Each structure stands twice: as structure tokens, then as C-alpha cells.
Amino acid sequence: MAKSARRRMGVEERREQLITVALDLFGSRSPEDVSIDEIAERAGISRPLVYHYFPGKQSLYEAALRRAADELSARFVEPREGSLGERLLRVMGRFFDFVEGHGPGFSALMRGGPAAAVGGGDVPHAAGSARATIDDVRQAAYEQILAHLEVERPSARLALIVRSWVSLAETTALLWLDGRTVARAELEVQLVHDFVALAAVGAAADPELADLVRHLLAQEPPDGLFADLLTRLITLVPAAPAAPTAPRVPLAPRTPHASPTPHVPHASRAPESPRV
């Protein structure tokens, strides 16, 4: 009996298929350990056909990284509905949806920057291209957070806080993928708490940032995530010991019509000499 003919894919459809396959393979192993033959076999096509769509493994690797970067950047886009804490939690939910559903792709994106060129390509160009792709993701996340803060020109301190938080979310997700020892939902809430904690620490030394933090906290609901963090922190602060009070000295009794000058006790007299 004749075998059923394999459905022919269009150019763009086949390119997307190869990118998906490459993203999965490059994420699970070092790019140098993945061969074009393996990619072709996984895609169900011949090796020469892979080269028909991509000139080499390096170009396929870069296309896979770009795909992961575009998808991840879109996860930080969030309508301005609800409080900042609620919005950040929704962003973290979509962020971890991507991390959990595209673990290999996320690892390939975030850990692929320092990798040397695959397939004997131009190492400086490859490393620079991968770093630029990763930087694009971080910049997109940075700009989205500033938009939620309604800040167009952040101070140096605020810019540092937002970029540090984006890096923290990235590192937390990578560590979670390695072992998943902490529940995902707990990490999502923790990262929201981390953001307001970083902002509060910066506000303690920056009056302008302090005004922003006060404004954000005023918009938070009483039972929101930021209020929950403050409640948790207060329970960690030990009760301050009561300040010692000075002992009370009894005042000398005052007689009617007495002079208002304070009573001064007489100096003690020396003992009289014995009479002879």
C-alpha cells in the first residue's frame, strides 16, 4: 500500500517549524552539541533542505533566540487596570507561563549570550548578536515597568532599581527551572514584593523617589500585595524596650507663705570639743 504523501509546507511555515525545533534543542543542550542532521531529523526533512532555509546553524540559532525574545517581551505588556501590585502580579504570571511552557527556549535565550559561534561562524559577531537580543528583552521589560510607574524620565536611582528588578526576575526564573524547589505562585508574589522593597529602600535616600512611592502606596487597596508585605515586615520588628525612667525625688514640704526659693539643707557642723 502506498504511503500517504507528506504535506508540503510553505516557506514561512517551514522556517517557523525549524525555528521551533532549534529552539527546543538549543535550550536543552549546548548549541555546539546540536547538529544540523539532528535538526533535520526532528523536523522530518533532509539536511540540504535545512540549508535551503538557513545558510548555517548560526543563523538558525540566532533566529531561535529572536523568536524567544519576541515572545518574552510581549509578556510584559499589561493594560493599566487596577493597582500597580495587581498589574505586576499579572505580568509575573504571564512571565512564568512562558518560562514553564518554554523552558528550553528561555534557557537558550538567557544563557546563550556568552556562547561561542556554532558551526565555525564568526565568534565576535555571534556573541554580540546574542547579547543584543537579550538586551532587547531587558529593555522592553524596563520600558514597560516605567510606563506603569508613569515615569518618562527616571532618576538614576529609579532606573537602577527597575533594571535590578528585571535582572532579579530573570535570575529567579532560571534558578526555579533548575530545581523548582519553591512553588511558582509563591515566587510570583515574592517578585512583586521584591519590587516594592527595592523601591522603598531607594526612597529612603531619594526625596523624589519617596514621593513616587507614597503615590503608589496611596493607590493600593488595603488588602493588596503591598499592604500584605508591610504587614509581614512589621511582624519581624521586635518590640522596642521601654526607655528607663529617672527615679522620682520627693520634694521638701512647703509651708504656707514660704519663700519660693528652694530649700537648701544646712551644712553639717563639726562636733564640739569636749569641755574640760
Side-chain angles (χ1 to χ4, degrees):
M1 186 172 63
K3 295 182 179 179
S4 59
R6 184 183 306 170
R7 184 177 68 88
R8 294 178 61 85
M9 293 184 180
V11 174
E12 288 305 315
E13 187 179 7
R14 179 65 75 185
R15 282 178 57 86
E16 290 300 305
Q17 181 208 26
L18 289 173
I19 290 173
T20 300
V21 169
L23 192 58
D24 181 68
L25 292 174
F26 289 144
S28 59
R29 301 205 310 275
S30 172
E32 293 83 356
D33 297 334
V34 178
S35 67
I36 289 292
D37 289 332
E38 187 175 3
I39 295 172
E41 182 180 358
R42 180 76 67 90
I45 61 177
S46 65
R47 175 189 175 97
L49 195 55
V50 175
Y51 286 110
H52 175 73
Y53 294 100
F54 293 94
K57 189 168 66 170
Q58 181 64 43
S59 63
L60 182 53
Y61 177 61
E62 292 177 4
L65 289 182
R66 172 50 59 185
R67 160 80 74 77
D70 291 342
E71 291 186 17
L72 185 55
S73 296
R75 304 297 173 114
F76 285 89
V77 178
E78 170 67 25
R80 297 184 189 179
E81 299 176 358
S83 65
L84 178 63
E86 294 169 346
R87 281 178 268 162
L88 288 180
L89 186 61
R90 290 196 294 268
V91 168
M92 287 296 95
R94 288 196 304 273
F95 175 68
F96 273 90
D97 281 344
F98 178 90
V99 172
E100 187 168 27
H102 304 80
F106 181 78
S107 296
L109 174 64
M110 295 303 172
R111 290 172 171 158
V118 297
D122 183 354
V123 174
H125 167 77
S129 177
R131 282 195 297 269
T133 301
I134 296 170
D135 288 342
D136 286 346
V137 175
R138 293 167 178 158
Q139 181 64 23
Y142 169 77
E143 292 175 357
Q144 284 297 319
I145 298 304
L146 288 181
H148 288 295
L149 297 176
E150 300 179 5
V151 175
E152 294 182 359
R153 297 181 179 179
S155 64
R157 192 183 301 273
L158 179 58
L160 179 61
I161 288 171
V162 175
R163 292 193 184 280
S164 297
W165 183 75
V166 171
S167 296
L168 177 62
E170 169 192 323
T171 303
T172 300
L174 286 172
L175 293 173
W176 179 75
L177 279 175
D178 286 341
R180 308 195 184 198
T181 55
V182 179
R184 168 185 156 175
E186 293 181 15
L187 287 182
E188 292 172 8
V189 173
Q190 177 178 313
L191 284 167
V192 177
H193 285 171
D194 288 337
F195 180 82
V196 69
L198 286 171
V201 171
D206 187 332
E208 181 180 352
L209 183 54
D211 289 340
L212 176 62
V213 171
R214 291 191 191 97
H215 174 69
L216 295 174
L217 293 178
Q219 296 178 328
E220 289 293 313
D223 57 347
L225 287 176
F226 292 177
D228 174 63
L229 174 61
L230 292 176
T231 301
R232 293 169 183 262
L233 292 177
I234 289 174
T235 62
L236 299 178
V237 179
T245 57
R248 298 183 61 184
V249 178
L251 298 177
R254 299 179 62 183
T255 58
H257 311 294
S259 172
T261 56
H263 172 72
V264 179
H266 294 291
S268 57
R269 295 181 300 175
E272 297 179 357
S273 301
R275 295 181 179 179
V276 179

